PDB file of all heavy atoms in Angstrom:
ATOM      1  N   PRO A1408       0.373  22.790 -16.372  1.00 47.00           N
ATOM      2  CA  PRO A1408       0.722  24.162 -16.753  1.00 47.00           C
ATOM      3  C   PRO A1408       1.860  24.223 -17.757  1.00 47.00           C
ATOM      4  O   PRO A1408       1.921  25.118 -18.595  1.00 47.00           O
ATOM      5  CB  PRO A1408       1.107  24.815 -15.413  1.00 47.00           C
ATOM      6  CG  PRO A1408       1.455  23.680 -14.511  1.00 47.00           C
ATOM      7  CD  PRO A1408       0.581  22.550 -14.936  1.00 47.00           C
ATOM      8  N   MET A1409       2.783  23.235 -17.684  1.00 41.00           N
ATOM      9  CA  MET A1409       3.897  23.215 -18.635  1.00 41.00           C
ATOM     10  C   MET A1409       3.380  22.984 -20.053  1.00 41.00           C
ATOM     11  O   MET A1409       3.828  23.609 -21.009  1.00 41.00           O
ATOM     12  CB  MET A1409       4.907  22.132 -18.252  1.00 41.00           C
ATOM     13  CG  MET A1409       6.130  22.086 -19.172  1.00 41.00           C
ATOM     14  SD  MET A1409       7.311  20.813 -18.659  1.00 41.00           S
ATOM     15  CE  MET A1409       7.833  21.477 -17.087  1.00 41.00           C
ATOM     16  N   ALA A1410       2.406  22.071 -20.176  1.00 39.00           N
ATOM     17  CA  ALA A1410       1.839  21.793 -21.497  1.00 39.00           C
ATOM     18  C   ALA A1410       1.166  23.038 -22.069  1.00 39.00           C
ATOM     19  O   ALA A1410       1.331  23.369 -23.243  1.00 39.00           O
ATOM     20  CB  ALA A1410       0.823  20.656 -21.393  1.00 39.00           C
ATOM     21  N   ALA A1411       0.421  23.717 -21.219  1.00 39.00           N
ATOM     22  CA  ALA A1411      -0.232  24.937 -21.683  1.00 39.00           C
ATOM     23  C   ALA A1411       0.785  25.986 -22.099  1.00 39.00           C
ATOM     24  O   ALA A1411       0.621  26.682 -23.101  1.00 39.00           O
ATOM     25  CB  ALA A1411      -1.145  25.491 -20.581  1.00 39.00           C
ATOM     26  N   ALA A1412       1.854  26.087 -21.337  1.00 39.00           N
ATOM     27  CA  ALA A1412       2.888  27.080 -21.647  1.00 39.00           C
ATOM     28  C   ALA A1412       3.597  26.763 -22.951  1.00 39.00           C
ATOM     29  O   ALA A1412       3.881  27.649 -23.758  1.00 39.00           O
ATOM     30  CB  ALA A1412       3.899  27.142 -20.496  1.00 39.00           C
ATOM     31  N   VAL A1413       3.884  25.474 -23.167  1.00 36.00           N
ATOM     32  CA  VAL A1413       4.587  25.075 -24.387  1.00 36.00           C
ATOM     33  C   VAL A1413       3.752  25.384 -25.616  1.00 36.00           C
ATOM     34  O   VAL A1413       4.220  25.932 -26.601  1.00 36.00           O
ATOM     35  CB  VAL A1413       4.940  23.571 -24.343  1.00 36.00           C
ATOM     36  CG1 VAL A1413       5.404  23.093 -25.718  1.00 36.00           C
ATOM     37  CG2 VAL A1413       6.028  23.325 -23.309  1.00 36.00           C
ATOM     38  N   PHE A1414       2.448  25.033 -25.559  1.00 37.00           N
ATOM     39  CA  PHE A1414       1.606  25.225 -26.734  1.00 37.00           C
ATOM     40  C   PHE A1414       1.249  26.676 -26.974  1.00 37.00           C
ATOM     41  O   PHE A1414       0.939  27.067 -28.080  1.00 37.00           O
ATOM     42  CB  PHE A1414       0.329  24.392 -26.588  1.00 37.00           C
ATOM     43  CG  PHE A1414       0.461  23.043 -27.216  1.00 37.00           C
ATOM     44  CD1 PHE A1414       1.271  22.079 -26.628  1.00 37.00           C
ATOM     45  CD2 PHE A1414      -0.200  22.746 -28.387  1.00 37.00           C
ATOM     46  CE1 PHE A1414       1.394  20.826 -27.202  1.00 37.00           C
ATOM     47  CE2 PHE A1414      -0.073  21.499 -28.977  1.00 37.00           C
ATOM     48  CZ  PHE A1414       0.736  20.525 -28.382  1.00 37.00           C
ATOM     49  N   SER A1415       1.278  27.497 -25.931  1.00 35.00           N
ATOM     50  CA  SER A1415       0.949  28.903 -26.116  1.00 35.00           C
ATOM     51  C   SER A1415       2.198  29.762 -26.210  1.00 35.00           C
ATOM     52  O   SER A1415       2.109  30.975 -26.283  1.00 35.00           O
ATOM     53  CB  SER A1415       0.084  29.397 -24.947  1.00 35.00           C
ATOM     54  OG  SER A1415       0.797  29.286 -23.732  1.00 35.00           O
ATOM     55  N   GLN A1416       3.368  29.160 -26.238  1.00 36.00           N
ATOM     56  CA  GLN A1416       4.612  29.921 -26.271  1.00 36.00           C
ATOM     57  C   GLN A1416       4.636  30.809 -27.513  1.00 36.00           C
ATOM     58  O   GLN A1416       4.400  30.377 -28.622  1.00 36.00           O
ATOM     59  CB  GLN A1416       5.812  28.977 -26.311  1.00 36.00           C
ATOM     60  CG  GLN A1416       7.144  29.707 -26.175  1.00 36.00           C
ATOM     61  CD  GLN A1416       8.286  28.717 -26.063  1.00 36.00           C
ATOM     62  OE1 GLN A1416       8.086  27.521 -26.122  1.00 36.00           O
ATOM     63  NE2 GLN A1416       9.469  29.228 -25.902  1.00 36.00           N
ATOM     64  N   GLY A1417       4.921  32.066 -27.288  1.00 35.00           N
ATOM     65  CA  GLY A1417       4.995  32.999 -28.394  1.00 35.00           C
ATOM     66  C   GLY A1417       3.645  33.571 -28.797  1.00 35.00           C
ATOM     67  O   GLY A1417       3.566  34.439 -29.646  1.00 35.00           O
ATOM     68  N   SER A1418       2.575  33.082 -28.198  1.00 35.00           N
ATOM     69  CA  SER A1418       1.255  33.553 -28.565  1.00 35.00           C
ATOM     70  C   SER A1418       0.842  34.764 -27.753  1.00 35.00           C
ATOM     71  O   SER A1418       0.052  35.569 -28.208  1.00 35.00           O
ATOM     72  CB  SER A1418       0.216  32.440 -28.362  1.00 35.00           C
ATOM     73  OG  SER A1418       0.490  31.359 -29.208  1.00 35.00           O
ATOM     74  N   GLU A1419       1.348  34.881 -26.562  1.00 35.00           N
ATOM     75  CA  GLU A1419       0.992  36.011 -25.735  1.00 35.00           C
ATOM     76  C   GLU A1419       2.255  36.579 -25.098  1.00 35.00           C
ATOM     77  O   GLU A1419       3.308  35.961 -25.092  1.00 35.00           O
ATOM     78  CB  GLU A1419      -0.003  35.595 -24.641  1.00 35.00           C
ATOM     79  CG  GLU A1419      -1.329  35.126 -25.199  1.00 35.00           C
ATOM     80  CD  GLU A1419      -2.300  34.779 -24.099  1.00 35.00           C
ATOM     81  OE1 GLU A1419      -1.852  34.466 -22.982  1.00 35.00           O
ATOM     82  OE2 GLU A1419      -3.493  34.811 -24.360  1.00 35.00           O
ATOM     83  N   GLY A1420       2.105  37.798 -24.579  1.00 34.00           N
ATOM     84  CA  GLY A1420       3.246  38.401 -23.916  1.00 34.00           C
ATOM     85  C   GLY A1420       3.899  39.448 -24.795  1.00 34.00           C
ATOM     86  O   GLY A1420       3.428  39.802 -25.870  1.00 34.00           O
ATOM     87  N   ALA A1421       5.015  39.986 -24.356  1.00 45.00           N
ATOM     88  CA  ALA A1421       5.711  41.065 -25.052  1.00 45.00           C
ATOM     89  C   ALA A1421       6.208  40.599 -26.404  1.00 45.00           C
ATOM     90  O   ALA A1421       6.744  39.514 -26.547  1.00 45.00           O
ATOM     91  CB  ALA A1421       6.875  41.558 -24.202  1.00 45.00           C
ATOM     92  N   ASP A1422       5.981  41.441 -27.435  1.00 69.00           N
ATOM     93  CA  ASP A1422       6.458  41.108 -28.767  1.00 69.00           C
ATOM     94  C   ASP A1422       7.631  41.991 -29.173  1.00 69.00           C
ATOM     95  O   ASP A1422       8.123  41.895 -30.288  1.00 69.00           O
ATOM     96  CB  ASP A1422       5.324  41.253 -29.790  1.00 69.00           C
ATOM     97  CG  ASP A1422       4.694  42.638 -29.732  1.00 69.00           C
ATOM     98  OD1 ASP A1422       5.329  43.588 -30.212  1.00 69.00           O
ATOM     99  OD2 ASP A1422       3.590  42.784 -29.191  1.00 69.00           O
ATOM    100  N   GLY A1423       8.059  42.879 -28.290  1.00 86.00           N
ATOM    101  CA  GLY A1423       9.225  43.699 -28.566  1.00 86.00           C
ATOM    102  C   GLY A1423       8.907  45.024 -29.225  1.00 86.00           C
ATOM    103  O   GLY A1423       9.779  45.895 -29.323  1.00 86.00           O
ATOM    104  N   PHE A1424       7.674  45.239 -29.688  1.00 94.00           N
ATOM    105  CA  PHE A1424       7.332  46.486 -30.367  1.00 94.00           C
ATOM    106  C   PHE A1424       6.917  47.554 -29.370  1.00 94.00           C
ATOM    107  O   PHE A1424       6.154  47.296 -28.440  1.00 94.00           O
ATOM    108  CB  PHE A1424       6.194  46.254 -31.366  1.00 94.00           C
ATOM    109  CG  PHE A1424       5.685  47.528 -31.992  1.00 94.00           C
ATOM    110  CD1 PHE A1424       6.449  48.210 -32.925  1.00 94.00           C
ATOM    111  CD2 PHE A1424       4.453  48.043 -31.620  1.00 94.00           C
ATOM    112  CE1 PHE A1424       5.991  49.393 -33.498  1.00 94.00           C
ATOM    113  CE2 PHE A1424       3.981  49.228 -32.187  1.00 94.00           C
ATOM    114  CZ  PHE A1424       4.758  49.894 -33.131  1.00 94.00           C
ATOM    115  N   VAL A1425       7.420  48.745 -29.557  1.00 95.00           N
ATOM    116  CA  VAL A1425       6.985  49.902 -28.774  1.00 95.00           C
ATOM    117  C   VAL A1425       6.407  50.930 -29.738  1.00 95.00           C
ATOM    118  O   VAL A1425       6.761  50.972 -30.917  1.00 95.00           O
ATOM    119  CB  VAL A1425       8.129  50.524 -27.950  1.00 95.00           C
ATOM    120  CG1 VAL A1425       8.634  49.538 -26.913  1.00 95.00           C
ATOM    121  CG2 VAL A1425       9.274  50.981 -28.842  1.00 95.00           C
ATOM    122  N   SER A1426       5.524  51.753 -29.258  1.00 96.00           N
ATOM    123  CA  SER A1426       4.806  52.701 -30.114  1.00 96.00           C
ATOM    124  C   SER A1426       5.758  53.658 -30.816  1.00 96.00           C
ATOM    125  O   SER A1426       6.903  53.862 -30.386  1.00 96.00           O
ATOM    126  CB  SER A1426       3.805  53.498 -29.271  1.00 96.00           C
ATOM    127  OG  SER A1426       4.493  54.380 -28.395  1.00 96.00           O
ATOM    128  N   TYR A1427       5.270  54.244 -31.887  1.00 97.00           N
ATOM    129  CA  TYR A1427       6.080  55.223 -32.612  1.00 97.00           C
ATOM    130  C   TYR A1427       6.455  56.388 -31.692  1.00 97.00           C
ATOM    131  O   TYR A1427       7.560  56.921 -31.770  1.00 97.00           O
ATOM    132  CB  TYR A1427       5.309  55.740 -33.829  1.00 97.00           C
ATOM    133  CG  TYR A1427       5.010  54.676 -34.861  1.00 97.00           C
ATOM    134  CD1 TYR A1427       3.898  54.771 -35.692  1.00 97.00           C
ATOM    135  CD2 TYR A1427       5.831  53.559 -35.009  1.00 97.00           C
ATOM    136  CE1 TYR A1427       3.612  53.799 -36.645  1.00 97.00           C
ATOM    137  CE2 TYR A1427       5.548  52.575 -35.948  1.00 97.00           C
ATOM    138  CZ  TYR A1427       4.447  52.702 -36.760  1.00 97.00           C
ATOM    139  OH  TYR A1427       4.167  51.739 -37.700  1.00 97.00           O
TER     140      TYR A1427
END
Side-chain angles (χ1 to χ4, degrees):
M1409 182 179 294
V1413 168
F1414 267 71
S1415 62
Q1416 187 174 2
S1418 297
E1419 296 182 336
D1422 55 74
F1424 174 72
V1425 296
S1426 69
Y1427 296 152

